[in-house]
Amino acid sequence: MWAVWGFLLTAAIGLLVVLIAGRRVPSPHGSYPWLLYDTAKMHVGIMGSLASFAFFGITLVVTLARDRSGVAESPLDTVVVMLLVAFLFAIGSVFLISYIPHVDTSGDLVPRVHFSLASTIEYRTVFLSWFALLPLLQANGLGRLSYVLYFCLPASLLLGSVIVAVAADGVGLLRVRETYLSAAVSLGLVMAYAAIVAFAVPGARSPHSPQYIALVIFCVNILGFGFAALTSLSLRYTGIKRFFEQQGRRIVIADMQLTMLSLVFLWLAVVGAV
């Protein structure tokens, strides 16, 4: 549970920093380079495939645990939790992004907020399932191969952040430098927490930290899902539309900060640093 408290503390600090830094930038208006309604349809197939990957992974883990008595239980428990959360939100994000409000009926800003929140849910879900590969290798005595993932997975996370940053900038909700401000703040805060754990409170490190952070990501995804789902009601309820017009950018800033923080936390958890 130390990892959860560490996440909550660093999240409070990080949110304060990025919300103050972005307070003077107005909500966007104008054109963007994609037809969001059509782009959302493309995401459905991608996330459906990811859901199949997560389901197959859970089936594989359960089979290994049943057929092999020498498999390490704790890493397998971690894999199951991470893949289960990934599976649930791979399916959930398919429904979420398929219901994106059309700009012709909902105005200019609301579809941007919906698309941005759905995209970060997808981003967190993808890396939740990919990071599960590391404890899966460790559980099967293939730790020697984990060094490959020590390079490939962080590099993939960095490349994924480029896509997320470009998408957020493209729809005008966040500038690229704001996304990477969130990433830098998150990295600094989590590394500071990891240093405290390593040198001051070594007992706070736990093999169950990845499971706790996976559940944290589950809760973050629920928040993002709830806000994104509300955008579909903006046409019928003027109060909801006005809320997103006034607070949509702040919601996306906070969501991006929680995204960066949770994924950095998850990576350090699966490598055993926290």
Side-chain angles (χ1 to χ4, degrees), residues 28-196:
H29 293 282
S31 62
Y32 39 80
W34 306 290
L35 297 174
L36 296 187
Y37 194 72
D38 292 335
T39 303
K41 295 178 182 178
M42 300 177 188
H43 284 223
V44 170
I46 295 172
M47 297 310 295
S49 299
L50 181 63
S52 300
F53 166 78
F55 182 79
F56 173 77
I58 295 172
T59 304
L60 175 64
V61 169
V62 171
T63 302
L64 287 172
R66 182 185 61 190
D67 295 341
R68 294 173 56 188
S69 58
V71 177
E73 292 184 359
S74 182
L76 282 186
D77 291 344
T78 297
V79 174
V80 170
V81 171
M82 293 174 69
L83 289 180
L84 179 60
V85 175
F87 172 74
L88 292 174
F89 273 99
I91 296 297
S93 65
V94 166
F95 286 101
L96 180 64
I97 203 163
S98 67
Y99 279 98
I100 186 170
H102 199 287
V103 66
D104 292 341
T105 61
S106 62
D108 185 44
L109 180 63
V110 174
R112 301 174 190 234
V113 175
H114 186 110
F115 183 81
S116 182
L117 294 176
S119 296
T120 50
I121 289 176
E122 293 177 1
Y123 181 55
R124 290 189 294 266
T125 301
V126 166
F127 282 98
L128 185 62
S129 60
W130 286 6
F131 285 174
L133 295 174
L134 185 57
L136 180 61
L137 290 181
Q138 293 169 343
N140 289 279
L142 297 174
R144 64 186 181 278
L145 299 179
S146 62
Y147 295 105
V148 176
L149 296 184
Y150 286 160
F151 169 75
C152 292
L153 291 179
S156 299
L157 184 63
L158 180 60
L159 291 175
S161 71
V162 174
I163 300 299
V164 170
V166 169
D169 198 312
V171 298
L173 286 167
L174 289 179
R175 294 165 294 183
V176 168
R177 64 176 178 269
E178 290 180 299
T179 299
Y180 283 102
L181 171 64
S182 292
V185 169
S186 298
L187 183 61
L189 289 171
V190 179
M191 292 302 293
Y193 173 79
I196 292 172

Side-chain angles (χ1 to χ4, degrees), residues 175-242:
R175 294 165 294 183
V176 168
R177 64 176 178 269
E178 290 180 299
T179 299
Y180 283 102
L181 171 64
S182 292
V185 169
S186 298
L187 183 61
L189 289 171
V190 179
M191 292 302 293
Y193 173 79
I196 292 172
V197 169
F199 298 108
V201 195
R205 186 183 292 112
S206 169
H208 302 297
S209 291
Q211 299 177 36
Y212 292 133
I213 299 303
L215 294 177
V216 166
I217 291 177
F218 180 85
C219 294
V220 173
N221 280 357
I222 286 177
L223 288 174
F225 191 99
F227 278 114
L230 280 175
T231 63
S232 301
L233 299 177
S234 60
L235 180 64
R236 293 177 58 84
Y237 302 98
T238 57
I240 293 177
K241 183 175 181 179
R242 185 167 56 250

Side-chain angles (χ1 to χ4, degrees), residues 14-28:
L15 287 173
L16 182 64
V17 171
V18 297
L19 287 173
I20 290 176
R23 70 187 185 281
R24 296 184 181 276
V25 180
S27 295

